Amino acid sequence: MSASYIPKDVYTVCTFQTDSEPRQLIPTREPITVFYGSDKTRPLLTKEDRNINKEFPCKSPKNAMWGFLCFGAGLIVGALLVLSGPIGWAALAVGVGVLACGAAAAYHATKINHLCTESLGKGNWKIEHEKVKFDQFMAITQNSILVCDTGGLLSPIFSYSVAKKYAQQIESNNGKEIVLNAAASFFGGAGIVIAGVEMGIGKTLLWMGGTMAVMNEGSYWEREIIRSNSLEDNSHYQDMNKEADENSRVPGYLKDFPKNVTGITPSDLASPDILELNEKGGLASRDGKTPIFFNGKWYVQDWQKNLIEIKQGTALSKDLTALEGVNSREVWKTSEGKAIVENIRNGKYSESLVATAKDGLGRVRPRNLPNLAKELPSIKMQNIKNIGKLGVKGGGFIGFFFPFIATYFSEDSRRILANAMAEDAGNGIHVIANDA
């Protein structure tokens, strides 16, 4: 089937758009002498015409902005979890700076329409007509694809209903991708700080480089597999991958630095003794990080296969309030003190919470219980931080796969555009040359 030429105001959708409304193609070449229709209001478009009637909201700056903000937030959260060291304080300062810059960038982004015009102007039409020229420029057709400078792909769509339907699908995909990249950036920021404290800066930098290299290579092959096994009967999709926008190993962060924060994710940081050690038999979680519930208590297992009880000491705090105002030497005489001692001996409370109530031989000393009440808030706060670290590590392990999920949605947007082109193939215009 022959492909129609494209007059001004034909609809278009973009694989990077984040709203559901199509735009219309407009001319940018000068002079214009070739029109569709006798009224000469709709120029026939060429590869030199690279603009639309209204800017698209684009996923590229949104990914960069949210990635930047979430990375800064992650640095701050990571710093708060490990503020005992200089790396934590340094990360906190950097995180505040990143958030401030990100907030300024976000504010600035609300004051401008968008950068479609400049990015489209730097882009190129692919698969233009091989022979026909209008005003000395090769004509574009329904088969043509405009590759934007930021990476988006646009194609002419005559039917508004077709364009609208597929624009909605692309909007949904890109929204999910932005959320996933933001989550990956947050866990990346927090994970880098924790890794810096636990592994050292040198190892962390090596880990970051290795992680990014693995994800970059993995994403390349993911794209290759998707493109080689999708829409085999859709010529538009095949042209898109072979002629318009081939798969590349060049990572995005080499082209645009802010995007690099969306690609950094922590894997398993493996730190021993992150809470308290507690021997409870051979019980283990499936992946070494997922909390599990057993006999009324929550546990995790660290990388050394030690069982760790997650407990914040609520019961102990409540019991110790009964000893307020009691002389430390008289604690052993009170029924409340005797009950607490018995509870400690029976393992009712988490070991890390009652360690200072015992002597070197592990015997409970009632006179130490009032001091234990004073120390308990700081112990509980440290446990909260440790659980936060555990959450970052678990989230980071999952976050390692976020970029691959995001890549799937990005590739699916390309398939959506190809399907839109195929469904619109029966539409178009008929052109008869007229020299008058």
Side-chain angles (χ1 to χ4, degrees):
M1 181 181 293
S2 61
S4 172
Y5 297 118
I6 306 300
K8 174 181 178 289
D9 294 335
V10 167
Y11 297 105
T12 187
V13 296
C14 177
T15 56
F16 276 25
Q17 71 182 86
T18 58
D19 71 349
S20 61
E21 193 61 34
R23 301 299 192 265
Q24 293 172 286
L25 295 167
I26 60 174
T28 55
R29 72 181 189 272
E30 291 288 348
I32 299 174
T33 65
V34 183
F35 298 88
Y36 171 64
S38 58
D39 57 1
K40 296 186 177 182
T41 60
R42 299 185 69 187
L44 289 173
L45 302 183
T46 72
K47 64 179 298 182
E48 190 68 10
D49 300 311
R50 300 186 299 273
N51 206 354
I52 50 180
N53 65 322
K54 182 181 178 182
E55 314 287 352
F56 274 120
C58 176
K59 77 172 183 181
S60 181
K62 288 186 178 182
N63 262 334
M65 180 187 74
W66 283 111
F68 201 51
L69 288 171
C70 291
F71 184 73
L75 288 176
I76 292 175
V77 170
L80 292 175
L81 295 174
V82 292
L83 274 181
S84 57
I87 295 178
W89 288 107
L92 181 61
V94 172
V96 171
V98 168
L99 269 185
C101 293
Y107 174 78
H108 178 67
T110 64
K111 300 301 180 182
I112 58 177
N113 290 328
H114 212 335
L115 304 178
C116 270
T117 297
E118 181 178 357
S119 298
L120 290 177
K122 293 179 180 178
N124 290 286
W125 280 102
K126 304 291 185 178
I127 320 173
E128 68 270 17
H129 201 288
E130 295 180 353
K131 298 179 180 179
V132 177
K133 292 183 178 181
F134 300 142
D135 298 323
Q136 307 303 313
F137 300 108
M138 287 296 182
I140 61 170
T141 71
Q142 279 177 301
N143 295 333
S144 300
I145 296 173
L146 176 55
V147 182
C148 173
D149 186 54
T150 61
L153 304 179
L154 299 85
S155 182
I157 305 292
F158 278 89
S159 168
Y160 174 79
S161 61
V162 171
K164 177 71 173 180
K165 178 175 71 172
Y166 289 102
Q168 290 174 330
Q169 296 178 28
I170 290 175
E171 175 197 24
S172 176
N173 269 6
N174 288 336
K176 294 171 185 175
E177 181 184 343
I178 291 169
V179 171
L180 288 169
N181 280 331
S185 299
F186 172 80
F187 285 113
I192 284 172
V193 178
I194 295 174
V197 171
E198 297 182 350
M199 296 167 51
I201 296 177
K203 289 183 178 179
T204 300
L205 293 176
L206 289 174
W207 161 74
M208 286 174 56
T211 299
M212 293 170 68
V214 168
M215 288 192 300
N216 184 64
E217 184 68 12
S219 296
Y220 169 83
W221 285 108
E222 179 186 7
R223 292 191 298 269
E224 194 70 18
I225 291 171
I226 291 173
R227 296 181 187 186
S228 298
N229 295 277
S230 300
L231 304 182
E232 295 178 359
D233 297 329
N234 188 315
S235 61
H236 303 291
Y237 186 69
Q238 303 307 321
D239 289 343
M240 184 184 299
N241 297 329
K242 295 176 182 178
E243 300 185 42
D245 183 40
E246 295 182 359
N247 192 14
S248 172
R249 278 191 171 90
V250 179
Y253 55 81
L254 293 181
K255 300 177 182 178
D256 189 355
F257 172 74
K259 292 180 184 177
N260 121 4
V261 298
T262 67
I264 301 174
T265 55
S267 56
D268 185 9
L269 302 184
S271 170
D273 306 339
I274 55 174
L275 292 178
E276 62 209 56
L277 300 182
N278 210 355
E279 294 188 7
K280 297 290 183 181
L283 194 63
S285 61
R286 290 187 298 273
D287 58 9
K289 292 170 288 297
T290 305
I292 52 179
F293 190 73
F294 182 74
N295 282 349
K297 297 180 180 180
W298 285 98
Y299 297 91
V300 293
Q301 186 183 44
D302 68 18
W303 72 296
Q304 293 178 326
K305 299 189 181 303
N306 295 306
L307 287 177
I308 299 165
E309 182 183 351
I310 302 176
K311 198 168 187 179
Q312 293 307 300
T314 302
L316 179 58
S317 296
K318 182 179 179 181
D319 292 345
L320 287 174
T321 56
L323 300 180
E324 291 180 1
V326 177
N327 187 291
S328 61
R329 297 179 180 178
E330 302 295 322
V331 169
W332 67 276
K333 297 180 182 180
T334 65
S335 59
E336 294 84 359
K338 293 177 181 179
I340 294 174
V341 170
E342 191 65 24
N343 287 337
I344 292 175
R345 290 172 177 171
N346 292 334
K348 177 181 177 181
Y349 312 117
S350 184
E351 286 298 313
S352 68
L353 301 176
V354 297
T356 58
K358 297 181 179 182
D359 61 16
L361 298 177
R363 293 189 293 261
V364 182
R365 296 295 184 185
R367 64 174 178 269
N368 292 336
L369 295 182
N371 288 331
L372 179 62
K374 298 176 182 178
E375 298 166 355
L376 191 59
S378 62
I379 296 174
K380 289 169 63 178
M381 178 57 66
Q382 185 58 49
N383 275 357
I384 290 174
K385 289 184 178 182
N386 290 334
I387 290 176
K389 289 164 64 177
L390 177 69
V392 169
K393 293 176 181 181
F397 180 79
I398 299 172
F400 180 85
F401 299 97
F402 283 170
F404 299 108
I405 302 173
T407 296
Y408 170 82
F409 286 119
S410 181
E411 288 298 305
D412 196 42
S413 293
R414 296 165 63 93
R415 290 182 291 196
I416 291 171
L417 179 61
N419 284 329
M421 295 174 69
E423 186 171 334
D424 192 59
N427 301 314
I429 59 172
H430 297 285
V431 176
I432 300 175
N434 185 351
D435 295 330

